[in-house]
Amino acid sequence: MAEERNFTRAAQRCFVVQSALSHQIKALEQELGLVLFARTSRRVELTPAGEAFLPSARACLEAAERAVNDAAASTGRLRGTLTIGVIPTVTAIDLPASIGEFHRSHPEVRIMLRTGGSHEFIAAIADGGLDVAVLGLPESTSVQGMQTRTLARQNLVAVVSATHRLAHRRRVQLVDLTQETFVDFPVGTPGRAPSDHAFQALGLSREVAFEATNTELILDLVRHDLAVALLAPDVVPADGRLRTIDVADGPVRIEYLAWSGFNPAPAAQAFLEQIRLPAAPE
């Protein structure tokens, strides 16, 4: 009810009729001697008492579910939920294949996949809202407060159209790109940070006229010769309309597998043991 703010939708999510849900909430309020929800004919909102009660109530439910899952795991039977976060530019592991293998081995585990940004996933792991995530971060960024495994260390390449003035070059330096129009991930995101840091470290500036949240749109803009990009080489497909160029002093991006080191759930532990990781880079 706190999430839906609507009796009809909340009852549907709980697979009960609306009257039964209303009765349960009233019974809980009577037991507590508190009003948890303010109700009108059109709106339902948490009262201050409800806001204070909610976090501990959620923690109790999560603890009860964890107790059942831990007991099942002791018999070799995994249950519960495994929540995985993945950045759009993951290249170091075949995550769908790893998830498929895990599902076949542990069919009772509910698997949830979220896409998003690395900073968002780091916070979610710290808060207990995410079990495992693949992160992509600048070389200068260290991950604190959780367990990590380095999956890949990649030098970003310049991606230009086949008709671009630099398309014939095999190697450039960042200074050669300062007059170009760029397409990149949104400012402040981990996907953008390696390139921004590399230019700033050399005292160089660039114009990012286009921002996009997925590589396919970035590559389409490059194909039409509207901009150049700096991307991990593995995300650039074989395409006669694109050229990749090594950047001698270009940005470095590190891909990590990250998870909470504090009492991970049995499903998360099993997934980490089963997932096929590349050999650790030297």
Side-chain angles (χ1 to χ4, degrees):
M1 176 62 77
E3 293 172 356
E4 294 293 344
R5 308 295 175 102
N6 179 279
F7 273 95
T8 301
R9 292 195 298 269
Q12 289 172 343
R13 281 184 57 179
C14 294
F15 302 103
V16 298
V17 297
Q18 183 174 323
S19 59
L21 178 64
S22 178
H23 175 75
Q24 291 286 351
I25 291 175
K26 287 180 181 178
L28 177 60
E29 289 177 324
Q30 290 173 355
E31 180 181 348
L32 297 174
L34 300 167
V35 177
L36 301 176
F37 292 97
R39 307 165 177 85
T40 70
S41 59
R42 295 184 178 180
R43 301 174 60 186
V44 180
E45 293 184 355
L46 283 165
T47 64
E51 293 280 6
F53 181 75
L54 183 61
S56 294
R58 280 182 169 146
C60 288
L61 292 173
E62 291 169 0
E65 182 179 2
R66 176 64 183 268
V68 173
N69 297 337
D70 285 349
S74 70
T75 66
R77 178 183 168 194
L78 286 185
R79 299 176 58 185
T81 300
L82 173 67
T83 306
I84 304 168
V86 57
I87 54 175
T89 54
V90 58
T91 59
I93 55 175
D94 187 345
L95 197 57
S98 296
I99 293 173
E101 182 180 354
F102 180 82
H103 175 65
R104 289 187 291 274
S105 300
H106 307 289
E108 292 187 77
V109 176
R110 182 186 179 204
I111 302 172
M112 301 179 67
L113 186 68
R114 289 170 47 186
T115 59
S118 297
H119 290 165
E120 168 193 350
F121 291 155
I122 290 170
I125 290 174
D127 292 340
L130 201 64
D131 294 305
V132 181
V134 180
L135 313 176
L137 296 169
E139 186 179 32
S140 57
T141 300
S142 60
V143 184
Q144 304 293 331
M146 62 194 64
Q147 299 293 313
T148 62
R149 165 77 184 272
T150 299
L151 300 176
R153 185 180 185 276
Q154 297 175 314
N155 293 82
L156 304 192
V157 296
V159 188
V160 302
S161 75
T163 59
H164 191 275
R165 66 179 183 86
L166 296 174
H168 67 285
R169 297 278 296 272
R170 301 181 67 177
R171 180 179 289 263
V172 296
Q173 294 183 315
L174 286 182
V175 69
D176 299 321
L177 303 174
T178 54
Q179 300 305 310
E180 300 296 329
T181 299
F182 276 84
V183 55
D184 210 330
F185 297 100
V187 65
T189 61
R192 168 84 167 260
S195 299
D196 282 347
H197 290 173
F199 275 92
Q200 291 165 5
L202 294 174
L204 302 174
S205 61
R206 62 172 179 153
E207 178 190 7
V208 180
F210 303 95
E211 292 187 349
T213 58
N214 65 80
T215 55
E216 204 45 55
L217 178 54
I218 290 174
L219 292 171
D220 275 340
L221 291 169
V222 174
R223 287 185 183 101
H224 288 281
D225 206 19
L226 292 169
V228 303
L230 290 167
L231 294 171
D234 290 345
V235 305
V236 184
D239 187 329
R241 295 169 293 172
L242 298 172
R243 299 289 186 272
T244 59
I245 309 168
D246 291 339
V247 184
D249 53 355
V252 175
R253 170 184 176 272
I254 300 179
E255 204 165 288
Y256 298 95
L257 187 70
W259 65 96
S260 174
F262 178 73
N263 194 26
Q269 291 176 320
F271 181 72
L272 290 167
E273 291 170 1
Q274 182 171 303
I275 191 170
R276 296 179 180 178
L277 299 177
E282 296 181 0

